[in-house]
Structures are given as C-alpha cells and as structure tokens.
Amino acid sequence: MTRCAITKIDSYDEDKLLSAIRLIAENTAFPDVKGKIVLVKPNVLSDSYPEKAITTHPAVVKAMIAILFERGAGKVIAGDSPGMQTGRFNPQASGIAKVVEETGAVLVDFRESTRIHDINGLKIPMATAIDIADVVISIAKFKTHQLMSATGAVKYMFGLVPGLQKSPLHLRARTPESFARLILGIFNEAHVDYALIDAITAMEGAGPANGQPRHVGLLMGSESALALDKAEAEIMGYSTVPIISEAEKAMPGCTDAEYPLLNPHDLAIKDYKRIPDGRKTTLRTLFIPNLLSRIGIQTDGRAYPEFLHDKCRHCMKCINVCPAKAIEMRRGKVHIAKRKCIRCYCCHEMCPFDAIKVK
Ligand code: SF4
Ligand code: SF4
C-alpha cells in the first residue's frame, strides 16, 4: 500500500528540516538514488521572496538536495519554468538559485526541450531535464489555485512545459475537469518518483500567486504524488479537487494510501480560505462544457476576472499571457472581452501587482 508521511515542523530551521525529511523518507518508499542523476523540481511560479509563499521555500529545497547527496546521488539537477519565462530563468529573489549553487546541484534551463510528447492527442513540448534524469522528485508548495482549487505535487508539473508554450494549452482544455486531465497527462509523462510538499508556510485565498501566506506547520512526503495531493486537499478542507477526482475516475484507487505518521483527516483546517466552487452545472464532469466553451457558450457559474485599475501598473503581463487574446489596453486601461475569456485565470496568476480579482 502507498504511504504518505506527514509530520509537524514549526520553522524552516535547517536541522529541523533535515530531521523531518529523514523521518518522512524512512516512513515511505523513498527511491534509490545511489549514483543516479536526480531532477528536483521546486515550485518557482515566479521569482518571488520566500515569505510570499508563492514558491517552495529554498530551505526545503536545500535540505532535500543535501539528503539526496547523503543517500549517494551521483548528480542533482534542479529547475522550473514560470508561465512568463522568455529568457533563461535564474531565480534569485526566491533563493532557489543560491541554494542550488551552495549544495553543488546544477540549475537547468527548462526552455531546452528536445522532445515533443503526444498527450491526450496534443503535441506538447516538455523540458529535456525529465529525459536526462534517472529519478524525478517533486518539491511542491501547499497552495490554493483559482482554477484547480489546489496546487500541490501534480498541478505544478505544468512547469515542465517551457514558458509561454503553456498558455495556448488552456484553449484546448477549458474546464477545470478537462484541464485536470491534461495536467494528469503531463504528470504521467514526467514519471515522478517521489513527492514532498512544503506546507510549513502555505498559501490560502487567491492562490497560486495572490493569496495570503498561512502557517500550517507541516511537511508531507510520499512515493505517490497523487495520494499526497489528496491528503493536501483534505487538510485544506476540500471534499475533492479536479485533479484528484479525474485521476480517481481514470485510475480507481490511485490516491489510496496509509498514513504512518499523522492522518490528514485529523489535520483538516476548518477555516482554511479555499477557492469557492462557483460551478452550477451537473454536466461539469462531462466533455460538453469544454465543447460549448469553444463556441463561446459558458455552462457553469465560474467567475470572470475583474481588473482593479487603481492597482494596475500597465506591465502588460496579463495581455501577453492570455491564451484567448481577451485582454487589451484601451485608453490606458486594461479591458477584458468577456465573450472571448475562457476563465483560465492565467492573467490572475501572472499579475505581479495583485490588480486582478476573481470572486
Ligand atoms: S498584469 Fe496586472 S498590473 Fe500588469 S497590466 Fe495586467 S492588470 Fe495591470
Ligand atoms: S482574460 Fe484572463 S481568465 Fe480570461 S482567458 Fe484571458 S487569461 Fe484567461
């Protein structure tokens, strides 16, 4: 039976992190890394300061790399690709580049993509790093997500698709359920061997980029990223989230696990600020909403983004990332054409000034 190990930890102190990761590894099926090339993928959605809880905390990345070398890893490579990446990504503010360098690991450029993957009938480029690595380790952040309700060890594998090449994929999967199926396809291609979630300082509210940090005080690990994400959703107080429900439909039992340390059921946070479920239709688990959305008919009650003009600094990021070309600058103000908007919330995710709200 798959195991998920969850332990309490109150800070990012180096010694406490090393002890917590060793405890988690001992209580789960940690992969054999001896002499192998190991890819660690933190969540670096944008190069933000660790206190904002947008990225995996660098201290967790540092401790995991130290443990990989302690267990005999031959080489450790690390990387991620934010949605707006155009040039080489060198995440300084987040502290990720610094810890990678300090530990003797190597930061790899996820723009390098030598293989196109056939996923759900789509041709999708993915970072060459997954082909180089013998072992893939996800080091995610415990966060809410406007489209997917939560992002943990599976959703952020979308970062394996280089930079802006992610954006048009939203046009091919317009509902949370169809997008979840696409993400599961990408996740399956990545062959993740082990997943850790940094839930020490988590994010609640308008995640994954504009929510509020919240101390949760947990570190979680498992050989199954899906089982780990199910535990995360339960702690957040969701009955399910699209990634988990779609995974369970496709592979019944894939999120089942035993919990040798703490049980997520006992850790559920009643007042965690979750993403409200605005969807009304009973057809939401079928393909029909996705098809209707392609001809501009929305069959669910999900909200459209709203632009806060007083906060907008005209950086153009929302315009550049919008896959539906639904945003433009008119007389110095951002304007959204709702009939074009597919409510992917990429604009909300990429706005660096919290000038976009989704109610
Ligand atoms: S991303 Fe935010 S700040 Fe930049 S133009 Fe759009 S709304 Fe304005
Ligand atoms: S306006 Fe925002 S939510 Fe709508 S399609 Fe564009 S990026 Fe997605």
Side-chain angles (χ1 to χ4, degrees):
M1 175 72 124
T2 296
R3 286 175 293 166
C4 278
I6 306 172
T7 187
K8 290 192 176 171
I9 173 167
D10 60 9
S11 76
Y12 288 102
D13 173 82
E14 189 170 344
D15 291 336
K16 286 183 183 175
L17 278 168
L18 289 168
S19 303
I21 297 174
R22 285 190 194 110
L23 177 69
I24 287 169
E26 281 160 16
N27 281 280
T28 49
F30 198 85
D32 174 14
V33 295
K34 205 162 188 176
K36 295 183 177 165
I37 300 174
V38 184
L39 169 66
V40 296
K41 186 191 172 302
N43 186 336
V44 199
L45 174 68
S46 62
D47 191 17
S48 315
Y49 293 108
E51 303 71 46
K52 292 182 125 184
I54 294 171
T55 57
T56 308
H57 198 286
V60 177
V61 180
K62 185 177 179 181
M64 178 53 107
I65 295 174
I67 293 218
L68 290 168
F69 281 128
E70 183 179 286
R71 288 175 166 246
K75 183 177 182 180
V76 178
I77 57 177
D80 197 6
S81 176
M84 290 303 296
Q85 182 184 9
T86 47
R88 188 178 170 84
F89 186 51
N90 187 14
Q92 295 293 334
S94 65
I96 300 292
K98 185 164 178 274
V99 299
V100 167
E101 191 182 318
E102 279 172 5
T103 51
V106 179
L107 196 65
V108 289
D109 190 349
F110 273 28
R111 281 176 310 161
E112 281 170 21
S113 169
T114 44
R115 197 153 68 89
I116 303 293
H117 298 248
D118 195 338
I119 299 172
N120 300 0
L122 299 173
K123 305 281 182 226
I124 301 181
M126 288 173 70
T128 303
I130 54 164
D131 295 325
I132 296 169
D134 303 310
V135 176
V136 177
I137 295 194
S138 151
I139 316 181
K141 190 73 168 175
F142 188 105
K143 294 194 290 181
T144 45
H145 191 282
Q146 201 71 55
L147 181 62
M148 293 282 97
S149 301
T151 174
V154 177
K155 159 67 188 69
Y156 90 123
M157 282 294 147
F158 201 31
L160 290 166
V161 179
L164 280 167
Q165 295 185 75
K166 292 185 233 347
S167 182
L169 293 173
H170 282 279
L171 289 171
R172 308 301 298 268
R174 299 180 180 213
T175 63
E177 289 74 21
S178 58
F179 192 64
R181 290 190 287 272
L182 175 65
I183 293 293
L184 285 165
I186 291 169
F187 166 74
N188 287 335
E189 285 288 293
H191 299 290
V192 175
D193 296 282
Y194 197 81
L196 192 73
I197 295 183
D198 163 16
I200 301 172
T201 302
M203 178 179 282
E204 63 178 1
N210 290 303
Q212 300 84 43
R214 173 165 183 158
H215 181 78
V216 169
L218 297 171
L219 201 61
M220 314 160 60
S222 176
E223 61 270 26
S224 165
L226 284 165
L228 200 62
D229 275 9
K230 187 182 182 185
E232 178 197 78
E234 193 168 355
I235 296 169
M236 285 182 178
Y238 289 111
S239 54
T240 189
V241 294
I243 294 265
I244 298 304
S245 52
E246 293 304 307
E248 284 171 344
K249 263 190 244 167
M251 301 165 278
C254 68
T255 63
D256 292 351
E258 56 186 34
Y259 306 100
L261 302 175
L262 299 170
N263 190 312
H265 187 67
D266 303 324
L267 298 167
I269 304 169
K270 285 201 179 91
D271 66 346
Y272 204 79
K273 287 185 191 143
R274 296 179 288 278
I275 305 296
D277 185 353
R279 290 163 280 171
K280 295 172 190 160
T281 176
T282 54
L283 295 175
R284 67 186 173 128
T285 56
L286 302 178
F287 289 95
I288 295 165
N290 196 34
L291 295 174
L292 290 177
S293 168
R294 288 182 186 210
I295 55 170
I297 301 169
Q298 311 298 350
T299 56
D300 62 40
R302 286 188 297 121
Y304 288 90
E306 285 177 26
F307 291 80
L308 308 177
H309 298 296
D310 54 333
K311 285 190 168 185
C312 175
R313 307 257 190 100
H314 309 105
C315 71
M316 309 291 281
K317 283 195 173 167
C318 57
I319 294 173
N320 292 336
V321 82
C322 177
K325 306 282 174 240
I327 314 171
E328 60 182 11
M329 198 65 77
R330 278 193 198 165
R331 290 188 288 276
K333 278 188 179 175
V334 275
H335 173 85
I336 174 174
K338 283 190 180 169
R339 67 188 166 76
K340 289 188 185 172
C341 174
I342 59 169
R343 295 162 303 157
C344 64
Y345 308 128
C346 292
C347 52
H348 172 264
E349 192 170 320
M350 287 299 140
C351 178
F353 302 108
D354 198 14
I356 304 174
K357 289 278 171 250
V358 181
K359 288 182 183 160

